[in-house]
Amino acid sequence: MKTIILAVDREHPDESVIRQAGEILKNGGLVAFPTETVYGLGGDGLNAESSEKIYAAKGRPSDNPLIIHIADMESLDRIVSEIPEKARKMAEKFWPGPLTMIFKKSDAVPYETTGGLDSVAVRMPSHPVALSLIRLGGGYIAAPSANTSGRPSPTRAAHVAEDLTGKVDMILDGGDVGIGLESTIVDFTEEIPVILRPGYISQKMAEEVIGPVRMDKGLLISDEKVKPKAPGMKYRHYAPNAGLTIVEGSTEQVIKTINEKSRELQAQGKRVGVIGTDETVGAYEAQVIKSIGTRQDEETIARHLFGLLREFDEEQVDHIFSESFDTPRMGQAIMNRLLKAAGHHLIHV
């Protein structure tokens, strides 16, 4: 398959280009496109064969649900059987934006899209290119992140091309994304809404709008017998090729421990990488040392995480050590992704 890559302006996307991409979707093809979170791999969410193509292109387990992207609230009525009042309040506050909500699905949504579940995950992105593509591509785009399953999620078109060239019909290059972490997922099929994946919208932000919201226990444990209700709950995600270890504790102890372990591996002839921040990178001893951002602006940490993990692959390191990032608002989301990338290999010092 020949993959066409076309540049699009984020704020004023060329309608002829978007229309071309939309026709591909309506004809059952696949188009990768930018959102405000990460790049998505889109197919017609109401076409079972399109969803099967998404799983095949990513090498994604077919029980891992896809998120349907819509461009307006009216579209929601066709694909869900009911909309709880709390979900409406969340939509009023956070849509369009980095929030995915899970509802009981209608018969219009094929089980191939929902991973065999009777529920459906839905999001309304805020990215102008994404919204335009949804409108011109049939109104319902199923789109997981546009990467090979298990790899770091793509935050620029080059990441998509690296993983999916020859597997998708088109990649829309809208430049770097803004947030860099996938959307928060909240399940509204339970009496008390449940966060299944933390993201830019925190538990506190949700509770300020709708009252009590709980965190799913599956965020803390990995159980192969559990059928995932949301993307990424069951399987290892975001992993670089190298092993990854997270070290948490006081800054002084973290630096000391990472340097000790780095020296041990280097003595064995290993190539070591370290993820620090602007405040700490000068204190590390390793072949490849990279800053993820500054602790004064936690959004820089979120935005750079996936791209940085891919950079270490390019540097061909054997092992990566990373600081822990328990930042005030997005720390929960950042650490959720980092722990998955590390296979939950964490050292407390």
Side-chain angles (χ1 to χ4, degrees):
M1 178 188 295
K2 178 177 171 59
T3 298
I4 303 167
I5 302 177
L6 297 177
V8 286
D9 182 86
R10 184 193 186 283
E11 297 301 332
H12 305 287
D14 185 329
E15 186 172 316
S16 65
V17 171
I18 303 299
R19 195 173 295 280
Q20 182 182 350
E23 288 303 312
I24 290 173
L25 292 172
K26 287 191 281 190
N27 289 324
L30 302 183
V31 176
F33 61 98
T35 77
E36 72 277 20
T37 56
V38 298
Y39 272 75
L41 173 58
D44 180 351
L46 305 187
N47 181 336
E49 290 184 3
S50 293
S51 293
E52 289 173 344
K53 286 181 180 179
I54 291 173
Y55 286 114
K58 283 177 61 72
R60 180 185 178 100
S62 61
D63 67 345
N64 201 356
L66 305 178
I67 296 172
I68 292 184
H69 292 62
I70 59 175
D72 52 64
M73 280 298 291
E74 290 73 28
S75 299
L76 193 59
D77 292 331
R78 182 181 175 190
I79 57 175
V80 307
S81 60
E82 60 179 292
I83 307 173
E85 184 57 32
K86 288 181 178 179
R88 288 189 186 278
K89 289 181 178 179
M90 287 289 281
E92 288 172 6
K93 178 69 175 178
F94 298 115
W95 273 4
L99 169 69
T100 294
M101 293 190 281
I102 294 179
F103 304 91
K104 293 176 181 175
K105 82 175 191 70
S106 74
D107 292 337
V109 183
Y111 283 108
E112 286 80 358
T113 299
T114 66
L117 298 175
D118 289 317
S119 57
V120 60
V122 188
R123 180 162 105 83
M124 189 189 300
S126 63
H127 198 291
V129 173
L131 289 171
S132 181
L133 181 62
I134 294 165
R135 295 186 182 106
L136 294 175
Y140 300 93
I141 299 182
S145 55
N147 58 302
T148 301
S149 189
R151 294 272 289 137
S153 296
T155 55
R156 58 183 58 160
H159 299 160
V160 182
E162 181 182 323
D163 283 12
L164 299 179
T165 294
K167 299 178 181 179
V168 301
D169 298 280
M170 181 179 283
I171 299 171
L172 295 177
D173 183 352
D176 290 2
V177 302
I179 294 173
L181 293 182
E182 303 90 344
S183 59
T184 303
I185 298 179
V186 185
D187 183 4
F188 283 92
T189 66
E190 305 275 343
E191 186 174 341
I192 297 176
V194 184
I195 292 177
L196 302 184
R197 182 175 72 189
Y200 185 86
I201 295 165
S202 66
Q203 181 179 12
K204 181 181 178 184
M205 291 166 70
E207 289 183 333
E208 287 173 353
V209 177
I210 58 173
V213 175
R214 65 183 180 87
M215 300 294 292
D216 189 87
K217 293 178 182 177
L219 293 170
L220 305 175
I221 59 171
S222 179
D223 188 345
E224 291 298 318
K225 298 175 184 176
V226 175
K227 192 171 181 65
K229 294 188 72 174
M233 288 194 72
K234 177 177 174 183
Y235 299 97
R236 189 183 179 209
H237 265 51
Y238 323 119
N241 293 328
L244 172 62
T245 301
I246 305 163
V247 182
E248 70 171 7
S250 69
T251 301
E252 183 180 335
Q253 285 298 315
V254 166
I255 292 170
K256 179 183 176 185
T257 301
I258 288 178
N259 281 340
E260 287 174 353
K261 293 188 174 297
S262 295
R263 285 192 292 269
E264 289 173 7
L265 289 178
Q266 289 175 71
Q268 298 168 24
K270 303 293 186 182
R271 186 168 167 81
V272 178
V274 174
I275 299 175
T277 62
D278 291 356
E279 294 83 0
T280 60
V281 284
Y284 289 111
E285 304 164 16
Q287 289 101 328
V288 184
I289 303 165
K290 293 180 180 289
S291 172
I292 196 171
T294 171
R295 291 185 184 273
Q296 304 305 311
D297 180 2
E298 59 185 313
E299 291 190 21
T300 64
I301 296 173
R303 189 160 56 244
H304 295 143
L305 174 59
F306 292 141
L308 210 60
L309 292 177
R310 285 180 177 264
E311 286 179 22
F312 280 108
D313 285 349
E314 295 169 9
E315 297 275 5
Q316 296 184 321
V317 299
D318 298 300
H319 199 88
I320 305 165
F321 292 101
S322 176
E323 296 176 5
S324 173
F325 303 105
D326 188 19
T327 56
R329 187 173 62 80
M330 293 189 70
Q332 200 169 43
I334 294 166
M335 290 306 297
N336 170 262
R337 307 314 194 272
L338 197 55
L339 283 164
K340 281 183 172 290
H344 290 267
H345 190 198
L346 179 140
I347 299 171
H348 182 78
V349 295

